Amino acid sequence: MSRLLRAARRYWAVTLTLAVGLLGLVLWAAGAGAAVPWLFGGYALAIAAWQAVGMVRDMLRGHWGLDVLAITAIVATVLVGEYLAALLVVLMLTGGEALEDYANRRAKRELDALLTRAPQRAHVRRGDAFVDVPADEVRVGDVLLIRPSEIVPVDAVLRSDETTVDESQITGESVPVEKRSGDSVLSGSVNGRAAVEVEAAATAADSQYQQIVALVAEASESKAPVVRLADRFAVPFTLFSLALAGAAWWASGDPVRFAEVLVLATPCPLLIAAPVAFLGGMSRAARNGLIVKSGGVLELLARVKTAVFDKTGTLTTGEPQLAEVRPEAGFDAQELLRLVASAEQYSSHVLAAAMVRAARERGLALSEAARASETATNGVVAVIDGREVVVGKFAFVASHAPEASRTAIAAGQLAIYVAVDGRYAGAVLAADRLRPDAATTLAELRELGVEQTMMLTGDAEATARHIADELGIERVHAECLPADKVQEVKAAPSRPVMMVGDGVNDAPVLAAADVGVAMGAKGATAASESANVVVLVDAIERVAAAVRIGRDTVRIALQSIWLGIVVSVGLMCIAAFGVIPATIGALLQEVVDLIAILAALRAVGGRLDRVARRPVDAVAGEPARARA
């Protein structure tokens, strides 16, 4: 009941119109029927005047909509005494606007999260102690304490010996970055498991994270509004209807004929069919794990010509996977992987989780360590089955096995070195693998009419090019910061441009693109807030589904509009000969509205989409924390 009352207050024009109609019915039943024409006529003219104000403002801005025809129909029916017909036209006019507003509100209500991840506090050294202060009070040169797993509040320089930070939300790189004393640390990155001291290199307002937030706001404000689909038919339909009504009046000499034609010419099918179709399209999208923020987004999706992708976490899984085991002479590959995974059980590094998962997938039985210790940012030493196993970076392993040698790795790969009982045992290679549905998604987008694909990433050129070549992506721009991505999207020649990404680092470019699509299954609040479409499941194939749903929705909306126009024009031509009274015409117009609505409801979809039938591989477990 409370929801119904809120809707009644929000769409007060519809509520008031229904109340006026009910009051008129009560007056008629009470024997005061003479007051009904004044009630209906006065109310209809008041609504027409209210609509006319908005219509004039739109015209002054160069925008001609369907309100001209609706207002003319209301005034004409009142002037010729067809008061009930006037009220019915008002109901359809206000109802169509309310339905369109409801469609947009319904799509947005699940996406009201704010950029809550922005650092708010900083631990600043004051004398011999650290004091908590607001992040915006940090000044260049201040010494800050960054505790384990805390977000760095400002751009800074590392003072401690070393640490590992997760910069995935800033640069898009999934592998934790090792930092040594003197290295820069970006705001918004997440510290590892060891507390460190840093020296502020910029204020909060001038730091990388706050620049990202500013870019989001700037890009969002610069986006042009989308013209309603039905308004494209406004001028020709209005001119035709007025011309036919005027011709009927001139031929018959009866002004009632003008009103009778215009009642059937009211643009209710145009005002209602498109919102209903778009609401249906958004409902269909939701069934497929997609939140579309407005009907205008579906229009843009239907016309997308360029698809731009982030790499890490979008085209790839964002989690390193075992690529190859390279044992030295005297060591077996399976046994080497088993020893590595057994030792890595005692590490929190993201690569450690990948090794453990790979060993278990191969059915290897892991052993418990008699003793294990992790050296920050370097590796793990564990006693496994009576043997000392050292796993980690090359320098760390070489300190235990001097004969260790570096192994060749391909673009996008990382090497984990191993020593057993002081002897170099080999290396295990890991790489961030492609999503299994990435290639099919790109192929489907091309089938749907997307002319160009592009990759924008903060990764190195060799890594980005390797992934792009596997997927057949034409253009690649690597080592991009958020501002670079925004510029590339703005410069794309074939528009509209759809950008697909995840994480805070993609938020500005998602806002700048004509259509921003956020892979929001794992959070990414800023990306979801900036995007027009949010994918709620961890499957990039839903991006192709979004484009297909957009195309189907626009096609059905156009078919419904044209169906309404054709039926309306046919009835208008009949009414021009005086055989359809205005009230009967208004009721017939309701039938036309019903036909248009039923046609538009096809956008809801009576079948499951192909992507919805395919199983989605869920990513099990939580991401491992960085070794620090």
Side-chain angles (χ1 to χ4, degrees):
M1 179 61 71
S2 60
R3 182 179 299 178
L4 184 61
L5 290 175
R6 285 197 301 270
R9 286 195 298 268
R10 178 175 294 122
Y11 306 119
W12 60 269
V14 177
T15 304
L16 187 57
T17 303
L18 292 173
V20 168
L22 181 60
L23 178 59
L25 182 62
V26 171
L27 290 174
W28 176 79
V36 173
W38 291 98
L39 174 65
F40 285 3
Y43 175 71
L45 289 175
I47 292 295
W50 172 58
Q51 291 282 341
V53 173
M55 178 189 71
V56 171
R57 289 174 179 169
D58 286 344
M59 286 181 176
L60 292 176
R61 290 193 295 264
H63 176 220
W64 290 74
L66 291 160
D67 297 335
V68 176
L69 192 55
I71 292 170
T72 305
I74 292 171
V75 174
T77 49
V78 170
L79 291 178
V80 299
E82 297 290 348
Y83 305 108
L84 180 57
L87 189 67
L88 290 172
V89 174
V90 169
L91 180 60
M92 287 301 100
L93 177 63
T94 57
E97 293 175 347
L99 187 59
E100 186 171 24
D101 178 75
Y102 171 74
N104 288 337
R105 285 177 178 271
R106 182 177 182 274
K108 291 178 181 176
R109 68 188 179 190
E110 310 235 3
L111 297 163
D112 293 331
L114 300 174
L115 293 172
T116 55
R117 191 179 179 274
Q120 302 296 324
R121 308 289 294 179
H123 316 303
V124 181
R125 175 179 286 172
R126 295 287 186 260
D128 295 330
F130 286 97
V131 180
D132 285 0
V133 301
D136 56 10
E137 292 184 8
V138 175
R139 297 292 175 259
V140 176
D142 283 348
V143 176
L144 312 179
L145 173 67
I146 311 297
R147 292 171 178 156
S149 300
E150 279 191 341
I151 299 171
V152 180
V154 297
D155 291 348
V157 175
L158 183 64
R159 287 168 55 95
S160 300
D161 292 338
E162 57 186 7
T163 189
T164 300
V165 296
D166 178 1
E167 295 183 345
S168 60
Q169 294 294 311
I170 304 298
T171 66
E173 175 53 58
S174 60
V175 178
V177 180
E178 297 174 356
K179 299 288 185 178
R180 296 189 180 277
S181 181
D183 289 347
S184 61
V185 183
L186 295 175
S187 63
S189 56
V190 181
N191 187 31
R193 296 182 64 189
V196 295
E197 291 185 5
V198 299
E199 181 178 321
T203 62
D206 294 332
S207 294
Q208 183 71 24
Y209 193 92
Q210 294 300 330
Q211 289 176 5
I212 289 176
V213 175
L215 281 170
V216 172
E218 179 183 352
S220 298
E221 292 173 0
S222 66
K223 293 179 72 172
V226 178
V227 177
R228 290 188 305 173
L229 181 65
D231 287 349
R232 300 172 191 172
F233 299 86
V235 174
F237 187 74
T238 298
L239 293 177
F240 172 80
S241 300
L242 291 174
L244 181 61
W249 182 3
W250 175 79
S252 65
D254 185 1
V256 175
R257 197 70 55 84
F258 181 83
E260 290 173 345
V261 173
L262 279 192
V263 164
L264 285 162
T266 52
C268 297
L270 278 71
L271 289 170
I272 292 178
V276 168
F278 286 124
L279 180 57
M282 287 186 284
S283 297
R284 175 182 166 191
R287 288 205 317 272
N288 284 274
L290 299 160
I291 295 296
V292 179
K293 293 189 177 181
S294 72
V297 173
L298 287 172
E299 287 192 60
L300 289 170
L301 281 169
R303 298 187 287 112
V304 164
K305 295 300 180 185
T306 300
V308 185
F309 295 88
D310 175 47
K311 182 187 78 68
T312 305
T314 302
L315 293 174
T316 66
T317 61
E319 295 186 352
Q321 303 289 323
L322 176 65
E324 184 183 351
V325 180
R326 293 180 180 173
E328 287 292 292
F331 291 92
D332 175 73
Q334 291 287 85
E335 177 64 10
L336 182 63
L337 178 59
R338 190 188 74 83
L339 291 173
V340 168
S342 297
E344 291 282 49
Q345 291 180 106
Y346 304 93
S347 171
S348 59
H349 197 281
V350 65
L351 292 175
M355 297 302 101
V356 173
R357 183 168 56 249
R360 287 175 175 165
E361 288 173 352
R362 288 159 176 76
L364 301 179
L366 305 187
S367 300
E368 293 186 5
R371 184 178 69 255
S373 63
E374 182 176 20
T375 301
T377 76
N378 285 288
V380 174
V381 178
V383 176
I384 306 293
D385 298 334
R387 292 182 288 179
E388 184 185 67
V389 179
V390 182
V391 181
K393 295 193 303 185
F394 174 76
F396 181 65
V397 172
S399 67
H400 292 77
E403 79 280 9
S405 59
R406 292 187 181 273
T407 188
I409 59 175
Q413 290 185 333
L414 294 167
I416 304 169
Y417 294 89
V418 190
V420 178
D421 288 334
R423 180 184 170 193
Y424 178 55
V428 180
L429 305 188
D432 192 5
R433 63 186 175 90
L434 282 173
R435 287 180 179 268
D437 51 356
T440 55
T441 298
L442 289 169
E444 190 165 359
L445 286 173
R446 295 184 186 102
E447 291 176 4
L448 289 168
V450 175
E451 298 172 353
Q452 187 177 71
T453 53
M454 184 190 312
M455 180 196 292
L456 301 177
T457 179
D459 281 358
E461 177 72 29
T463 302
R465 178 59 62 182
H466 173 72
I467 296 295
D469 290 343
E470 284 193 55
L471 295 173
I473 295 177
E474 295 95 345
R475 297 176 59 189
V476 179
H477 295 276
E479 301 177 14
C480 292
L481 288 174
D484 301 325
K485 293 183 179 183
V486 170
Q487 292 303 318
E488 291 294 339
V489 163
K490 287 182 177 180
S494 299
R495 311 195 78 87
V497 175
M498 175 179 68
M499 173 69 199
V500 186
D502 72 324
V504 175
N505 63 298
D506 291 319
V509 70
L510 290 174
D514 299 311
V515 182
V517 181
M519 302 295 293
K522 297 180 182 179
T525 301
S528 299
E529 188 68 23
S530 304
N532 307 105
V533 180
V534 181
V535 181
L536 298 179
V537 293
D538 195 26
I540 196 175
E541 62 186 357
R542 303 305 168 92
V543 174
V547 174
R548 183 171 59 253
I549 290 170
R551 289 179 179 271
D552 288 349
T553 301
V554 170
R555 173 178 53 81
I556 290 170
L558 287 172
Q559 289 175 350
S560 304
I561 287 172
W562 278 111
L563 177 63
I565 288 176
V566 169
V567 176
S568 292
V569 168
L571 290 173
M572 286 161 56
C573 292
I574 296 173
F577 292 96
V579 297
I580 304 179
T583 301
I584 299 299
L587 293 174
L588 285 175
Q589 184 62 37
E590 299 296 328
V591 176
V592 176
D593 296 341
L594 180 60
I595 292 173
I597 289 172
L598 291 175
L601 283 173
R602 293 178 299 141
V604 174
R607 62 176 177 82
L608 289 176
D609 290 295
R610 179 158 56 93
V611 294
R613 294 199 303 265
R614 288 202 290 250
V616 178
D617 296 328
V619 178
E622 296 180 353
R625 290 171 295 180
R627 175 181 288 145

